[in-house]
Structures are given as structure tokens and as C-alpha cells.
Amino acid sequence: MRSILNIDGVWDAAEGNLKEAPADFAHSVPVPGLLDMASPAFAEIGLQSGLREAFWVRREFELDREPAPLNLLRIGKARYGTKVILNGTEIGEHRPNHTVGEFDLGGALRRGRNELLVRLGPWRDDEPTSVPDGRDIEAYLAVPGIYDSVELVLADYPYIDVVKTAPDLDAGSVRVSARLRAGAEPATFALDAVVREASSGLSRGTTSSAELTLAAHETRDVEFEVALESPRLWSPEDPFLYTLQLDTPADSRTIRFGMRSFAFDKASGHALLNGQRYPMRGSASAIFRFFEDPDRGDRPWDPEWVRKLHRQFKAMHWNTIRYAIGFPPAFWYDIADEEGLLVIDEFPLFYIDLSDDAPAVKAALALDPSVRSYGLRSITAAQPRTTEPERVSWPAALTADALEAEFTEWVEGHCNHPSVVMWSSNCEGRSPETRVLVERIRTLDPQHRPWGDGWSGPPTDSDPYVAHWYLQWNAAMRGDATGIGMLTEMRKTAIGYPLGGAPHELLPHLRTANKDFDGVPVNTGDHAVLLEEYGWLWLTRDGKPTRLTEPIYETLEGWPAATADERRYTRARLTAAETEFFRCNRTLAGQLLYCALSSSHDRVSTADAFTDLDSLDYEPNFLRYVRDAFAPVGLMVDLWDRELAGGTFHEIPVTAINDLPDDWNGELTVRVRDAATNEVISEQRRALRIPALGQERRYFGLTTVIPAGEHQIVAELTDGDGYSVRSLRDVRIVSA
């Protein structure tokens, strides 16, 4: 039967040329890990350098048995370009940088001591342009290394290769597709399957195939169903897992899966989990950007830290995480399965045309011909900005044919995770090649998950319209102030990344049932809309603006931004208000704030809101205000004017929403406080029932007794069980 030898650990490392391994390995490096973790450290790591043509890593290991008929080396993920040599025999190369490299060791493996050498490229630009290198136009380091586990698989034939599962909730069964391989001899056998509860090990279903006969060296896909006894569905609220064990007479393989379905409904615009509407609330984890964090250390490979990270995601009331522009190590997906998070799995392609004839730049130039910046302050050709990100268009060599092998490895490798509910072919790119590729690869996923395709729009009717809507960038590109008032302006016009729509379209990408929001026409579209990015307010962990947010904090009208603490407070309050606005519109299938995990250094473009990587504590203002904005039962004070005239009656709308499948009953309180003394000047209470997955709107009168000055309107939802969430607006009452 199959046995697996893990060969992670501390490996020897050296730099040298491409053709031959160095004679001296004077460094050591952890595997999995990156080469910036080597001891002693390498110079100029992660940057283009003339110091080496290649890195080499070496590991000796003992095999206490004779090699098996089939001996496979599996390198989880490595960059850039992987070449394997075992005991002096060249085994082969694996060019992809983001998927498992599998090498048949043939007769090179031996009982006793073995020497394994792996050659890695030193820098992403050394890769052929037909190979995705994980390029990110908003990052600057590209550190090579073996960044996922390495294992030796010893097995016999008939061998169980790829296994894919597809839950059938209506039938109460799981459909299984298994790829079987015969060796040098033909084989006749039955394939046995048993499904167990992952937690208890209790058997919940078994089956055996009819007798199968494979010719010598034949590879065949077989399909069958296993009926489950009283299946329990997987969801973020109940992440229940099963195992599937498959056995041939000579091989055995076990995988995990969950009984769940997921889709976007075109007619309603909703996300559907297990057939029921499920509003997606979440953020993104940009692992490759985190790789360049100076304080990263070995955290991405520490299971306890990664589990805590995902629990902190859920602590923000997030049920969805996008693994953005890069795949994390494989065990991250296992943890997402176990902790209960929906994952949007995005291939690391980030090529965006920033030339003057590109759609996004054209839209900006239509308003201001002097604009030449990407998310930075407006500049003229005579005033270049040295920190502008590199401009990289889609390489002609990155065709569907060139990408197909790696996309196949990706989808077949991740398709059993119940957490993975959507694929994304790229971030913000426009290429007909990915559209062709998605059509091919879609058939490899038996669960028929939806796809995103960058800025190319939905590939099919079953896919969502993916929007990246940055109101702050939109306002800055127009030369407008970027305070909270932009949410009022957003109802009139919004210019940003066109994403397939007309650049001056009214309220692009939002849907409402009555095609109207407070009297303003809305683009209803033909697809569910997923707001996958928003919140251009990033700060480093020491409270400094990033290179993309410097112009935002310089133009924030009416908001403090002079000190780090002021900027943190401002980020939290504006992010909370924006989150409330998008959620309470109730037109989106989901919304994901960018971003939950990124990096923090002087050259960073985006950043997360953690204050400490060990504790994973959120910045206190972010936790206080933004967490409430994502609460499943939430609310919004629908007031965006900074000033109100005194001596006049004002009606203040408050919208309350319920993402839960059950009705919510509680109380809605609206208070007006004096900003200086915190004294409650006015208070109104009303009992409130919000139907399941519904919305209620109430109006409160702001009376003339409110004196002139600075005040805060605080709306709060509470119930008898201690539930409490708030929405706040700062308002200045001016004398009539």
C-alpha cells in the first residue's frame, strides 16, 4: 500500500550557475520557506542580481525499505522554475511556480541514503514570458524558494492518481471521479470506496465498482456515486467534513470533502450556499505581498499562526476570504475547510495595461487630460512621480495553450476543498486568452464552481460580475475631496475601472429590485454582482499612508489625518461608513474589503489592519468600527452631509439589515451626543423586527432643540442576548 515520506526540514543551500551544483553548500534554509530565511543570509535576495544564475538546495534522507514500483517526488510549490536531481541523476523540470511539481524518480531512488538536489531560478524575470511568475505591479520583491511541503510517495499499481468529488445534495450522495493508472502489467480489480465522518471516523457510506480491467500502462477515469447516511451540510457556520477512502488491491488514497453547493443566481443577484441565499462578507489575503513583509518570518508555515489568522478573519464577521494574487501553502486550504470560510481562489496573474490608451486611463483622461497616474496624486507629464508602480501589459506569450497545464494542476489540486467556492483566472487583467482558458478548464471541476475573469466580465451567465470599486481613487482622479461626502456623490456618478461598463455609467454594478435607489436610476445588469475590492484607505502598521493612499489622506475633507492615530481613526470610520453603504443597498451578492493580510514597509502599496503579527491584534479603531459594519445584523445611518442647518427639522433615515436565515427581534435606538462632552442630547427608541435576509428602514426626527456645534448621531441595534452594533455619523449643526 501507499506510504508517504515527508522530507521537509532544514535543507542545505547555495548560489551558483545553472548547469552544475555548487561544490560547497554553506547556507541552510527551512523547507517549506523562502530563501530570504537562509542562514547565513544571501545578499540581494528577492531582487534582480548578478550574484548568481541559480539557487541550489540539497537534502539527504534515508529510505528504510526498497523502492516501490512507483516512486514520486511531490514539491508542493516552488519558484522560479524547478529542476530535480536525485543521486546524480537528472529527473526533470517543473516550470510552473504555483502548483505541485510531481517527478517520477524511476530507478534513481535507492534504499539507504539518498541525496536530493533542487535548482531554483533566482528572480522572476528569468522565467520565460510564457510562464506565470506571480508578478504583482504593486509589489517589488520576488523571493525564490520551496514554499510548500515536499514529500516522497511510494506506491504500487493500479495507482490512484487524481480524485475529484462533487456533492449531490438532492440525492444525498457524493459523485466521485478517480483517475487510475496501471503499471507494466494489466490489472483486473474492483475499486472500493468508503465515506466517513472526518471528526469521528464513523462510516456513512460504502460502495464498490464493477470489475475493472486496465491494460498495461493504461490511464482511465472512472466515475461512481456513494450514498451517504443522513448527510450533514458544510457551511461557515457548521464546517462539517467527511473523508473519502479509495482502495485498489495495491494502493489506497484518502481525501476530505464537504457536502455543500454554491452558485450565483443571475435572476436574483444572490449568492446561494446549499440552495439558500447567503450574503458574502469578507476580505482578501494577499500571501505574496505578505511574503515581502520584513516581519513575516516563518509565520506562513506555522499552522497555529495560520489557524489564528483565519479565526481573526471570522472575528470580523467575515465569512469569505479571497486568496488574492497568489496561492498560500496547501494546509491553508485545510484550515479554511475546518474553520469555515468561503474561499475565492485566484490565480496569480496581475497584468494591467496602464498605457494612455488603456480603458481605465482613458476614463481618467476624459475628465482631466493631465492625469498620468495609477491611483496616485494627479500629475502631469512634466511632474513625474518616481514611486509610480511599474506598468505591465499582458504578455503575448501568455496564451491559453501556455497556461493550460498549470491551470489544470491548480483546479484538480484544489477542487475537493469545500471552502473553495469560486475560481478567479486573474486580477484586473483583460485578455481573450483567459476567456478561452476558462471555457476549457471549467469542465475539469465536477462541482461547476463559478469563475471570475478579471476585467473581462463574466464568462457565462452562471458567473458573477466582479467589481473593484474604489471610491477614494475615483474621487481623487476627478480632483474631488475624498471625505464621507463622496458617498452622496456616488449616487450621481462614479468613474473608476470600467470593468466592462461605460465609464460614466450611473451607479455601475449595483442592482435593486425596483431599479431605483432614493430616486436615482441604477444599472441592474444581467449578473450577480460581487464587490471584490473596495476601501482605498491603507495604512502601514505604524500609521503611515502607503504610496497609493498618500494623496487620499492629503485631500480628506473634514477628517483628521495629521497624526498616525488620527489617520487610523479616519480609516476606520470611513471604511465602516462605506461598508454600511454597500451592504445596506442590498444589491450585491457579496462585498470584500481589501485587504485582510498584506504587507507593511516603506514601499508598500496596500496594507492590512493588524498592529502586531504575533498577536494578530487588529488596530483598535478598525476593530471597534469596521467589525460592527460587517455584523450579520447591521445598520446604517443614511446621512452623508457633514453640516446641517440649525433651527430646521431634519429627518434621519436608518436602514437595518439581517443576513441571518431567521427573523431578528430587538430594539433600534438613535442618540444624538455632544461631540465635546459626550452628553446625550436626544434619544429615541423603537422595537424592531427584521425579517430573515431582509431589510427595514426607519426615520427619526432631528429636532430643532439640537444646539449649534459638533455632534454625533449614534444608531444602535440591541437585543435581549447582549447583541449590540452601532452606526455613527459626525454632524455639525450650524446656526440658521
Side-chain angles (χ1 to χ4, degrees), residues 478-649:
R478 295 193 302 267
D480 295 343
T482 53
I484 203 168
M486 66 188 176
L487 292 168
T488 299
E489 293 302 312
M490 187 196 70
R491 297 180 177 182
K492 302 174 184 177
T493 183
I495 186 171
Y497 303 151
L499 293 166
H504 296 284
E505 192 173 15
L506 291 176
L507 284 181
H509 326 311
L510 292 185
R511 304 169 50 129
T512 58
N514 60 4
K515 301 179 178 62
D516 181 275
F517 186 69
D518 280 8
V520 179
V522 175
N523 168 35
T524 57
D526 294 321
H527 296 263
V529 179
L530 177 63
L531 180 56
E532 200 181 57
E533 290 188 19
Y534 71 98
W536 196 291
L537 290 165
W538 305 293
L539 295 171
T540 61
R541 295 195 186 103
D542 56 1
K544 296 177 182 177
T546 72
R547 65 176 181 171
L548 295 185
T549 58
E550 284 179 355
I552 306 303
Y553 285 98
E554 292 173 1
T555 60
L556 280 170
E557 184 177 41
W559 286 88
T563 69
D565 284 343
E566 288 175 342
R567 288 188 291 269
R568 290 171 179 137
Y569 175 80
T570 293
R571 170 184 63 178
R573 289 291 309 281
L574 291 180
T575 300
E578 193 175 345
T579 300
E580 293 167 6
F581 185 96
F582 285 130
R583 287 192 66 208
C584 290
N585 183 276
R586 300 307 265 176
T587 62
L588 299 170
Q591 62 187 75
L592 278 64
L593 178 68
Y594 200 86
C595 85
L597 183 68
S598 186
S599 185
S600 184
H601 53 76
D602 290 342
R603 296 183 59 177
V604 77
S605 294
T606 62
D608 52 53
F610 293 120
T611 57
D612 180 82
L613 289 180
D614 281 331
S615 65
L616 286 175
D617 289 331
Y618 289 108
E619 192 279 316
N621 290 295
F622 187 88
L623 183 64
R624 180 181 182 185
Y625 298 113
V626 179
R627 183 177 186 272
D628 272 7
F630 277 103
V633 178
L635 76 167
M636 168 185 67
V637 176
D638 196 5
L639 176 68
W640 313 102
D641 295 324
R642 183 68 180 88
E643 292 186 350
L644 296 177
T648 303
F649 177 81

Side-chain angles (χ1 to χ4, degrees), residues 635 667-671 714-718 724-727:
L635 76 167
E667 187 174 65
L668 171 60
T669 303
V670 174
R671 301 180 180 91
V714 182
E716 184 177 19
L717 288 174
T718 56
S724 173
V725 296
R726 302 185 308 160
S727 173

Side-chain angles (χ1 to χ4, degrees), residues 17-21 53-54 56 83 85 90 119:
N17 60 52
L18 287 168
K19 294 184 178 180
E20 56 186 3
E53 293 180 342
W56 292 80
K83 180 177 181 178
I85 299 173
E90 292 193 6
R119 189 195 70 192

Side-chain angles (χ1 to χ4, degrees), residues 159-205:
Y159 174 71
I160 304 167
D161 194 352
V162 176
V163 178
K164 296 187 282 190
T165 57
D168 187 333
L169 304 191
D170 293 334
S173 63
V174 57
R175 296 192 305 275
V176 180
S177 172
R179 185 170 304 150
L180 306 175
R181 291 166 50 188
E185 300 293 330
T188 299
F189 60 96
L191 180 65
D192 298 326
V194 57
V195 172
R196 297 183 177 91
E197 293 182 357
S199 56
S200 69
L202 292 175
S203 175
R204 291 302 181 192

Side-chain angles (χ1 to χ4, degrees), residues 1 13 23 37 56-57 112 198 218 235-236 250 265 331 349 358 361 381 401 415 434 484 523 536 556 568 708 729:
M1 284 294 181
M37 302 164 69
W56 292 80
V57 291
E218 181 183 359
S235 70
D265 180 60
F331 77 91
L349 285 170
V361 179
D401 290 343
C415 69
T434 56
I484 203 168
N523 168 35
W536 196 291
L556 280 170
R568 290 171 179 137
R729 297 293 180 269

